[in-house]
Amino acid sequence: ANKKTFTGKAQYFDKYKDAAYGFTHMQQSGTGTIGVYYNFLRVSPTTNYNKENRKSLFKITNQTAHPGYFNCKIAENNVQVELTASQKVGFHRYHIPTNMESPQISIDFSEGGLDTREDNVRNVKAQKESETLLTGEFNHVGFNYYFALESSVPFKNGSFCHAIGERSSHDQAKSSGKDSGKKKRKKVSVTNPDPTKSADEAEIQIKKLARKNSRIFYLDYVFDVEPGSKVDLKIAFSFR
């Protein structure tokens, strides 16, 4: 999540320098400059998860990388992160500090990439198959995707957190009296409701796409982990 890329030459912003919202493996497209990067199933080590901090940008330090491996540390909580992959499975390893208070792992099933509409991932369905296994599916711009996520530790106090918050007013384009060629947009306020929680399964269906930033839409799974523990996640992903 370090850069915002458009068709053509990549452009970098200080906001994304050495920073991330979380860690993913899955990209529908892998080379060249494309309109959006489809970073699915975003995993974020966090604490005191809530609707306000569920998508917080954090700084990453001590980065090392070589083909097939990435290592870094999250500055805000000192979680050490290791990522690698096999041909079909992504591997995450999170080293939780012993002094970290109320550590949690958050997994966003509705994340659809950088600088995209909040609801371009639609019809998300996920379920807990066991104390260490989650499975599910979702639709992204017309394509169906299926996933399985296995944890090395049980999903302690785990729950699905999901919400759809509609915008409370409509955009209204107004022309100024002096220059009819310029239009002003009325600022739109978007509700951010408290998420609905469920223990074993969750599903959200979006029938109609909305304009960018006009709707808050997400489905996360959050569970507690022990301070001083090592958490391994295996993520398998299919387009069929």
Side-chain angles (χ1 to χ4, degrees):
N2 290 346
K3 62 183 178 180
K4 182 179 181 181
T5 309
F6 303 90
T7 302
K9 186 179 179 180
Q11 301 181 30
Y12 291 84
F13 295 84
D14 289 340
K15 175 182 177 181
Y16 299 110
K17 184 179 180 181
D18 299 323
Y21 292 107
F23 303 94
T24 70
H25 278 278
M26 318 310 171
Q27 293 190 12
Q28 184 178 357
S29 181
T31 60
T33 53
I34 57 176
V36 287
Y37 280 103
Y38 300 107
N39 296 297
F40 299 126
L41 306 183
R42 176 173 52 86
V43 180
S44 304
T46 186
T47 184
N48 297 320
Y49 169 94
N50 59 58
K51 66 179 183 180
E52 303 297 339
N53 68 11
R54 59 170 295 274
K55 193 173 181 179
S56 298
L57 193 66
F58 50 77
K59 289 290 184 180
I60 51 178
T61 63
N62 302 337
Q63 299 178 64
T64 59
H66 55 75
Y69 179 80
F70 178 76
N71 186 325
C72 72
K73 179 176 284 188
I74 299 175
E76 286 79 357
N77 53 31
N78 289 322
V79 172
Q80 191 74 30
V81 181
E82 295 182 275
L83 306 174
T84 188
S86 67
Q87 186 175 3
K88 296 184 178 180
V89 178
F91 297 90
H92 296 221
R93 174 169 291 173
Y94 300 97
H95 301 269
I96 310 299
T98 56
N99 61 348
M100 185 174 177
E101 296 184 5
S102 305
Q104 296 172 307
I105 298 292
S106 170
I107 306 158
D108 183 355
F109 298 118
S110 51
E111 174 64 32
L114 304 180
D115 194 40
T116 57
R117 291 171 295 196
E118 288 287 348
D119 58 356
N120 63 355
V121 170
R122 300 189 289 164
N123 305 334
V124 185
K125 182 179 181 180
Q127 52 274 329
K128 186 174 77 170
E129 303 286 354
S130 71
E131 291 304 313
T132 56
L133 178 64
L134 303 174
T135 62
E137 60 187 272
F138 61 85
N139 181 278
H140 179 271
V141 291
F143 294 93
N144 291 322
Y145 300 82
Y146 305 89
F147 62 85
L149 184 148
E150 186 177 28
S151 172
S152 63
V153 300
F155 299 129
K156 181 181 178 182
N157 300 322
S159 63
F160 293 98
C161 302
H162 50 95
I164 301 177
E166 299 291 347
R167 58 182 178 174
S168 58
S169 60
H170 296 284
D171 283 331
Q172 295 181 1
K174 296 183 178 180
S175 298
S176 64
K178 295 182 179 179
D179 187 356
S180 59
K182 294 183 179 180
K183 294 182 178 180
K184 295 182 179 180
R185 288 190 177 277
K186 182 179 179 180
K187 186 176 181 181
V188 177
S189 59
V190 184
T191 60
N192 186 5
D194 292 326
T196 300
K197 294 186 178 182
S198 55
D200 297 322
E201 61 182 3
E203 182 174 5
I204 287 184
Q205 294 187 355
I206 301 292
K207 295 182 179 181
K208 183 179 180 180
L209 290 175
R211 289 183 178 182
K212 178 188 171 185
N213 297 330
S214 65
R215 176 184 289 154
I216 289 178
F217 162 74
Y218 61 87
L219 194 160
D220 301 336
Y221 187 78
V222 185
F223 63 97
D224 298 339
V225 293
E226 296 295 331
S229 65
K230 178 182 68 176
V231 181
D232 291 339
L233 301 179
K234 293 189 290 185
I235 304 175
F237 196 68
S238 174
F239 298 99
R240 299 180 179 179

